[in-house]
């Protein structure tokens, strides 16, 4: 269990591959989770499936805008092509809160690094100054999140944000989920983090794995 108080987390587009993995990790650590979807029934079905796996009731399902409203912090894990439209539809719901953008705009069939601005910078422009956007988890493979839930993940999370306090909150969340979080500079740096996904996809393809990830050295912990 966690030794500090954590917010309720909404995972917007949490019915796909990445969202449920994050939900499992955080709910295992005692965090209340709301799975968001365009369809409440789909959100509820995913929440029920994850609760069954964990033997808990920590996870519930709501439509994305309700999920964002009821949470203190939201993590965006919609498919990349829905990034802009989803954020535009949630501007009012997210005001005053933290939005964590996990988007990596890389096509796994043609893994080229994306051009600036970072997806998270675009999110900040869409949401305006009333939302603190943090970029994180773009390099954490969904396959790794869902395996060996009781154990730490051998992965580091680069956390980019213009607001250090918001970044610190997300670093604590990464750690609650069994990952190591590092502050990696302002929101514009997140385009480099997205680009690392191109390298991870290429490593996965070359070495025949699904869980290549990143690690930072040289910083004592
Ligand atoms: N997969 C990974 O290993 C991984 C790792 C790190 C980061 N990421 C990032 O996480 C994000 C999600 O990746 P994913 O692999 O989980 O994607 P995904 O499974 O393909 O899709 C996630 C969710 O997006 C929602 N969605 C689909 N079309 C939509 C639309 N037109 N409008 C609004 N929502 C829509 C769906 O939710 P509903 O149908 O329920 O609304 C779907 O369950 C991406 O930005 C990706 O770069 C993925």
């Amino acid at each position: 269990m966690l030794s500090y108080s954590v917010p309720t987390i909404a995972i917007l587009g949490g019915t796909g591959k990445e969202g449920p993995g994050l939900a499992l990790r955080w709910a295992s650590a005692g965090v209340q989770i709301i799975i968001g979807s365009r369809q409440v029934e789909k959100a509820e079905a995913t929440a029920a499936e994850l609760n069954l796996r964990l033997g808990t009731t920590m996870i519930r399902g709501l439509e994305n805008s309700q999920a964002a409203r009821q949470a203190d912090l939201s993590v965006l894990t919609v498919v990349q092509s829905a990034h802009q439209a989803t954020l535009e539809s949630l501007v009012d719901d997210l005001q005053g809160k933290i939005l964590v953008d996990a988007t990596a705009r890389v096509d796994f069939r043609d893994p080229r690094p994306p051009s600036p601005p970072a997806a998270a910078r675009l999110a900040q422009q869409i949401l305006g100054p009333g939302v603190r956007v943090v970029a994180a988890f773009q390099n954490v493979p969904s396959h790794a999140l869902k395996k060996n839930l009781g154990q730490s993940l051998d992965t580091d999370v680069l956390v980019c944000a213009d607001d250090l306090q918001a970044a610190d909150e997300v670093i604590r969340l990464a750690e609650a989920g069994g990952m190591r979080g590092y502050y990696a500079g302002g929101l514009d740096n997140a385009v480099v983090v997205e680009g690392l996904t191109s390298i991870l996809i290429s490593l996965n393809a070359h070495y025949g794995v699904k869980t290549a990830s990143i690690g930072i050295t040289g910083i004592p912990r």
Side-chain angles (χ1 to χ4, degrees), residues 13 15-19 36-39 42 64 76-80 82 86 102-105 137-143:
T15 56
K17 295 180 275 299
E18 183 74 357
S37 167
R38 288 168 295 175
Q39 295 169 266
K42 192 172 168 187
N64 280 327
L76 185 69
T77 60
V78 293
V79 69
Q80 308 159 34
T86 301
T103 305
R105 297 160 301 160
F137 307 111
Q138 305 99 313
N139 305 140
V140 180
S142 61
H143 279 90

Side-chain angles (χ1 to χ4, degrees), residues 2-204:
L2 300 168
S3 57
Y4 64 96
S5 108
V6 288
T8 295
I9 301 176
I11 305 185
L12 309 171
T15 56
K17 295 180 275 299
E18 183 74 357
L22 291 169
L24 283 168
R25 290 271 156 188
W26 286 324
S28 304
V31 181
Q32 295 283 343
I33 301 292
I34 308 173
I35 296 289
S37 167
R38 288 168 295 175
Q39 295 169 266
V40 67
E41 299 81 7
K42 192 172 168 187
E44 286 171 348
T46 297
E49 197 182 303
L50 300 177
N51 278 327
L52 189 64
R53 175 160 174 198
L54 294 178
T56 168
T57 54
M58 303 292 288
I59 308 174
R60 60 203 164 99
L62 288 173
E63 190 269 325
N64 280 327
S65 68
Q66 286 303 315
R69 267 189 193 270
Q70 292 192 25
D72 312 287
L73 178 151
S74 292
V75 183
L76 185 69
T77 60
V78 293
V79 69
Q80 308 159 34
S81 55
H83 181 260
Q84 181 178 342
T86 301
L87 287 167
E88 283 171 353
S89 72
L90 297 173
V91 171
D92 292 343
D93 306 306
L94 290 168
Q95 291 304 308
K97 303 182 179 188
I98 293 176
L99 185 276
V100 181
D101 198 337
T103 305
R105 297 160 301 160
V106 180
D107 181 346
F108 76 95
R109 288 156 300 198
D110 181 17
R112 297 169 198 223
S115 305
R121 173 59 71 199
L122 292 169
Q124 187 71 75
Q125 285 165 0
I126 293 167
L127 297 170
V131 180
R132 292 182 291 162
V133 176
V134 178
F137 307 111
Q138 305 99 313
N139 305 140
V140 180
S142 61
H143 279 90
L145 285 167
K146 292 172 187 162
K147 281 201 254 172
N148 306 320
L149 285 183
Q151 295 168 24
S152 292
L153 275 171
D154 186 19
T155 189
D156 291 343
V157 178
L158 298 174
V159 178
C160 298
D162 294 341
D163 183 309
L164 261 179
Q165 202 186 5
D168 280 344
E169 192 156 335
V170 176
I171 288 169
R172 283 202 299 273
L173 279 181
E175 288 168 1
M179 298 160 259
R180 296 173 297 267
Y182 290 92
Y183 179 65
L187 221 41
D188 293 321
N189 282 2
V191 73
V192 179
V193 183
E194 284 184 72
L196 289 175
T197 298
S198 308
I199 291 170
L200 297 176
I201 291 169
S202 304
L203 287 166
N204 281 340

